[in-house]
Amino acid sequence: MSFELIRNYRSGGTNGSLRYGSEKICHTIELPWKDNQPFFSCIPEGRYLLEKRITHERGFHLILKSVPGRSWILIHPANDARTELEGCIAPVSELTGIGKGINSRDALEKLLEIFEEAQEKQNHIYITIKEKSAINILERVKKPTPKLFRKLRTIGLVLAAAGGAILGAPITLPAGLITVAGYLTVGASVLTAVSQVTVDNEVKIPPLPEVKNKGDASPR
């Protein structure tokens, strides 16, 4: 079992959700993706070895090993990716915007507790980073459908029923009407299917004040 970071990319920053197995640990914030440029970009997606370390400046935190083209990529406290990160990952308890969150130190403490529990069960611990759109189709179907697409799904079901009723009518109908009914049924089926697998990717931003931690600038 490994940690999993699911990212949601935006031009102003990268928000994410950090999990261990089926347990959601916290949110994350990072810099936007800028072709892996040191100091300006989040790191590439992939699977990385995760280790715990301690320094006088940061105390206990985590480090990702063997990141392509980067060094000293840490998971450490920060509440604003733009001003406090240079490529690292910051856990936050709640998101307040794109690349922004609050209560980062509390989130890190929770993460470290789970990491220590994982260490008791396995020698090497990894984190897999991937984009939210990479969620498989079964996971999408299980997720809530946005309000607009719920309405479209309902319309699709109604149209499909109407087309089916015309095609199954016990009386002879004009050929043109039969053709229209066929197109109607196919189109309605596509509309329903697309609506069903559409999920809401927007970040829910709570009306909370932004709190910044001092002295949490990332080294890389």
Side-chain angles (χ1 to χ4, degrees):
M1 186 181 296
S2 64
F3 288 86
E4 186 176 59
L5 174 56
I6 307 299
R7 283 173 169 170
N8 190 0
Y9 298 99
R10 293 290 185 271
S11 60
T14 302
N15 292 350
S17 176
L18 184 60
R19 295 180 174 273
Y20 182 70
S22 60
E23 179 181 0
K24 180 177 179 180
I25 303 171
C26 60
H27 301 282
T28 60
I29 57 172
E30 300 175 76
L31 292 172
W33 173 251
K34 292 189 176 181
D35 298 320
N36 200 32
Q37 298 179 44
F39 303 102
F40 298 103
S41 173
C42 59
I43 64 173
E45 296 176 7
R47 186 170 182 261
Y48 304 104
L49 181 65
L50 199 59
E51 295 182 354
K52 184 179 178 181
R53 68 193 293 267
I54 184 173
T55 63
H56 177 72
E57 178 186 2
R58 300 187 185 282
F60 285 108
H61 54 278
L62 301 175
I63 183 170
L64 283 69
K65 308 293 287 188
S66 302
V67 179
R70 308 292 286 273
S71 60
W72 300 106
I73 299 299
L74 312 177
I75 298 181
H76 69 80
N79 290 310
D80 189 327
R82 286 285 191 180
T83 61
E84 300 176 71
L85 297 180
E86 296 176 349
C88 295
I89 302 168
V92 293
S93 298
E94 296 183 57
L95 296 171
T96 58
I98 304 302
K100 296 181 180 181
I102 60 172
N103 300 328
S104 184
R105 294 189 184 278
D106 291 341
L108 179 63
E109 288 181 8
K110 181 179 179 181
L111 171 58
L112 289 174
E113 288 179 4
I114 296 174
F115 183 86
E116 290 169 1
E117 293 175 1
Q119 277 187 315
E120 296 176 358
K121 303 175 182 177
Q122 57 199 80
N123 294 326
H124 300 291
I125 301 175
Y126 294 87
I127 182 170
T128 300
I129 302 175
K130 60 184 180 180
E131 187 178 0
K132 188 172 184 178
S133 62
I135 298 174
N136 65 48
I137 190 67
L138 291 178
E139 290 175 317
R140 284 184 176 272
V141 170
K142 293 177 182 178
K143 288 183 174 293
T145 302
K147 184 176 181 180
L148 172 61
F149 285 91
R150 289 201 302 269
K151 292 181 178 179
L152 293 176
R153 181 178 58 193
T154 300
I155 294 173
L157 291 172
V158 172
L159 293 177
I166 294 173
L167 293 174
I171 59 175
T172 301
L173 296 172
L177 183 58
I178 298 297
T179 301
V180 171
Y183 286 125
L184 186 65
T185 302
V186 173
S189 299
V190 172
L191 177 62
T192 302
V194 171
S195 299
Q196 180 61 36
V197 297
T198 302
V199 296
D200 192 350
N201 284 337
E202 294 185 358
V203 178
K204 307 301 182 184
I205 307 300
L208 295 173
E210 176 185 345
V211 179
K212 293 185 178 181
N213 287 333
K214 300 296 184 180
D216 279 331
S218 169
R220 296 287 183 272

